[in-house]
């Protein structure tokens, strides 16, 4: 202020005053306009992001509903096409006319009916196990994945193996189920689409993160492919994987290994100490 | 020119009363706006009283200095309320103390017989910097709502425009206020920016009132 007064010629006072005032006013108003427009731009961008997020949620939800309906239809078909006819056949053997037959015929009919009922029980057990494997509930994720891979290897077409390096304490049941379903879905996709000859799953635990890594030597997908398929209406299985990954608050990445010989899928799940159960 | 000054004077009086009346009618509870209410009353009283004191007892400039100190302390109080950063709040306490000391020194040097350009200039700089600080941090805080939906945005704009517009005016007043043409310019510019300030303060109170109103559906249900 002292400098301003000392250096200003009386004749230039008006000039300094008007230009100074105008300059300060322009700066102040310019700043306000910048702030208002900048904030509007930020809000517009956030609204767009929110809309994209909502659209993606809708796609995932639709995929989840479609998958549930397909699963229901499959169960209904299995029960109707397999269990239904078996039980109907068993009923035929055990009709009212049996009492009029001779003892050998009666015994044979009862025996046949028992065989059919046994087959039906096994069929229903298989359907139930495919819905919820008892190994997972009773013995944990490692045993369930081992079981699954043994069945796959048993078919002879693919060599499937798994190794859990650090699974002394089990995760919560709901987490194990979600991870098992993710592995199941990934393996299903590999068997259906990739033509691979081996699948290998490893597990380890590092810095409060639970890692599942799946390697295969068939035709895989990269992260870009995964993101693109997730945004489209195709890739129902991948969308189910995405939904489960979101529930776990985990991350999944698809990549081709540096040696370019196999594809790798990594699932990274954050785990707190208290989430482990003994 | 004198008609223009008269017209501006009447407009200024109405503009000065408006935020005070609106605050009392709407019963605004916001603590920061209460401080602005006190500043508005202080400004209204000083416009009436200081002019009278200047013409009757030649103590106008001394009264103006007292007004400057009280206004600065109230402004510091206001910024401490609206700015959330703790370290910045503590900085305002030391700034207020330094300002009072500088004002006292300036008073003793000039004997209170001239315009207090230096204290007012410092006040202007502190307020302008505080306003810019608040604006930049409010756009980070208001990520999901428009920044101008807050009443404090309008108060800060009012203070920014007033102190920016009158910065050079007040800086030159100590030396040139006794010059008649400068004095006319001073009155003209001061009135224009005071009117602008008070209009924006009134907008702030209306925005505060609208923010406390229930949404239209609820209002219709109670009619």
């Amino acid at each position: 202020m002292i400098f301003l007064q000392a250096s200003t010629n009386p004749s230039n006072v008006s000039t300094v005053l008007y230009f100074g005032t105008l300059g300060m006013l322009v700066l102040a108003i310019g700043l306000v306009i910048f702030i208002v427009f900048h904030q509007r731009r930020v809000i517009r961008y956030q609204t767009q992001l929110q809309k994209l997020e909502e659209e993606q949620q809708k796609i995932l939800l639709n995929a989840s509903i479609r998958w549930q309906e397909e699963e229901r239809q499959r169960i209904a078909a299995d029960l109707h096409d397999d269990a239904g006819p078996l039980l109907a056949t068993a009923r035929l053997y055990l009709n009212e006319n049996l009492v009029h037959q001779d003892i050998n015929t009666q015994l044979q009919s009862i025996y046949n009916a028992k065989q059919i009922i046994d087959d039906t029980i096994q069929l229903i057990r298989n359907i139930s196990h495919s819905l919820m494997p008892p190994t997972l509930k009773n013995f944990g994720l490692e045993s369930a994945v081992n079981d699954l891979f043994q069945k796959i290897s048993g078919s002879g077409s693919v060599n499937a193996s798994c190794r859990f390096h650090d699974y002394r304490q089990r995760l919560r049941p709901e987490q194990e189920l979600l991870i098992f379903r993710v592995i199941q879905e990934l393996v299903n996709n590999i068997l259906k689409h990739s033509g691979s000859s081996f699948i290998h799953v490893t597990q380890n635990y590092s810095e409060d993160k639970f890692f599942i890594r799946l390697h295969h030597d068939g035709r895989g997908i990269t992260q870009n492919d995964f993101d693109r398929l997730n945004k489209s209406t195709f890739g129902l299985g991948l969308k189910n994987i995405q939904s489960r990954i979101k529930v776990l608050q985990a991350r999944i990445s698809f990549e081709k290994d540096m040696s370019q010989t196999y594809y790798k899928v990594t699932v990274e799940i954050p785990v707190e100490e208290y989430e482990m159960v003994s | 020119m004198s008609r223009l000054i008269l017209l501006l004077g009447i407009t200024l009086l109405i503009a000065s009363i408006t935020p005070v009346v609106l605050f009392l009618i709407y019963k605004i509870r916001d603590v920061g706006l209460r401080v602005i209410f006190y500043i508005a009353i202080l400004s209204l009283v000083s416009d009436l009283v200081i002019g009278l004191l200047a013409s009757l007892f030649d103590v106008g400039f001394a009264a103006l200095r007292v007004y400057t100190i009280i206004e600065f302390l109230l402004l510091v109080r206001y910024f401490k309320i609206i700015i959330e950063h703790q370290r910045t709040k503590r900085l305002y306490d030391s700034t207020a103390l330094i300002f009072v000391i500088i004002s006292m020194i300036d008073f003793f040097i000039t004997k209170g017989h001239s315009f207090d350009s230096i204290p007012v200039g410092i006040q202007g700089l502190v307020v302008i910097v505080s306003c810019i600080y608040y604006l930049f941090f409010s756009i980070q805080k208001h990520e999901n709502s428009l920044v101008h939906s807050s009443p404090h945005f309008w108060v800060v704009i009012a203070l920014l425009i007033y102190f920016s517009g009158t910065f050079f005016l007040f800086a030159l007043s100590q030396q040139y206020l006794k010059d008649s043409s400068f004095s006319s310019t001073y009155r003209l510019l001061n009135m224009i920016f005071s009117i602008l300030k008070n209009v924006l303060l009134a907008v702030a109170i209306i925005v505060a009132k609208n923010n406390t109103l229930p949404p239209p559906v609820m209002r219709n249900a109670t009619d």
Side-chain angles (χ1 to χ4, degrees), chain A residues 1-2 4-6 8-10 13 16-18 20-21 24-25 28 31-32 34-36 38-40 43 46, chain B residues 117-118 121 128 132 135 139 142-148 153 157 164-165 168-169 171 174-176 182 185 193:
Chain A
M1 266 60 62
I2 299 163
L4 197 63
Q5 289 162 17
T8 308
N9 216 335
V13 165
V16 169
L17 181 61
Y18 286 124
T21 303
M24 291 289 274
L25 208 53
L31 179 70
V32 170
F34 166 76
I35 282 172
V36 169
H38 172 76
Q39 213 229 357
R40 275 176 192 238
I43 288 178
Q46 277 172 352
Chain B
S117 284
I118 293 170
I128 289 168
I132 293 170
L135 287 171
I139 58 173
H142 287 97
E143 276 177 358
N144 297 323
S145 60
L146 292 167
V147 71
H148 54 72
F153 171 81
I157 299 303
S164 303
F168 279 89
L169 186 70
Q174 187 171 12
Q175 199 165 354
Y176 300 106
F182 185 91
T185 309
F193 285 110

Side-chain angles (χ1 to χ4, degrees), chain B residues 8-204:
Chain B
L8 283 172
I10 296 167
T11 312
L12 176 60
L13 185 64
I14 298 167
S16 301
I17 293 170
T18 307
V20 173
V21 166
L22 283 175
F23 187 91
L24 292 169
I25 290 171
Y26 290 148
K27 295 180 186 141
I28 304 295
R29 291 179 194 279
D30 187 277
V31 178
L33 289 180
R34 192 180 296 275
V35 175
I36 295 301
F37 169 67
Y38 297 146
I39 293 173
I41 290 181
L42 182 73
S43 175
L44 183 63
V45 164
S46 74
D47 285 342
L48 297 168
V49 168
I50 288 176
L52 205 64
L53 287 173
S55 58
L56 291 178
F57 301 109
D58 196 28
V59 292
F61 287 128
L64 201 60
R65 284 166 187 274
V66 172
Y67 164 76
T68 302
I69 293 173
I70 299 172
E71 187 188 45
F72 185 79
L73 293 175
L74 284 172
L75 285 168
V76 158
R77 175 83 188 110
Y78 175 70
F79 283 114
K80 276 179 72 175
I81 290 167
I82 65 169
I83 288 172
E84 291 172 2
H85 200 234
Q86 288 302 320
R87 227 179 264 177
T88 315
K89 281 185 203 261
R90 272 182 250 138
L91 195 63
Y92 277 115
D93 292 333
S94 25
T95 308
L97 184 64
I98 294 168
F99 179 82
V100 170
I101 294 169
I102 291 174
S103 299
M104 302 286 205
I105 294 170
D106 186 66
F107 180 83
F108 286 121
I109 292 171
T110 59
K111 309 259 187 299
H113 291 315
S114 65
F115 192 89
D116 53 345
S117 284
I118 293 170
V120 169
I122 294 171
Q123 180 188 35
L125 284 172
V126 169
V127 169
I128 289 168
V129 168
S130 302
C131 291
I132 293 170
Y133 180 91
Y134 172 79
L135 287 171
F136 272 108
F137 281 92
S138 69
I139 58 173
Q140 285 173 12
K141 187 177 127 186
H142 287 97
E143 276 177 358
N144 297 323
S145 60
L146 292 167
V147 71
H148 54 72
S149 61
S150 162
H152 297 294
F153 171 81
W154 294 98
V155 172
V156 163
I157 299 303
L159 296 173
L160 183 65
I161 288 178
Y162 177 74
F163 283 99
S164 303
T166 55
F167 181 78
F168 279 89
L169 186 70
F170 293 153
L172 296 168
S173 292
Q174 187 171 12
Q175 199 165 354
Y176 300 106
L177 198 59
K178 289 181 172 61
D179 182 57
S180 60
S181 70
F182 185 91
S183 177
S184 309
T185 309
Y186 173 91
R187 271 196 291 173
L188 185 69
L189 286 178
N190 195 21
M191 277 190 212
I192 290 170
F193 285 110
S194 295
I195 291 167
L196 268 173
K197 178 184 78 169
N198 286 312
V199 164
L200 289 168
L201 289 181
V203 169

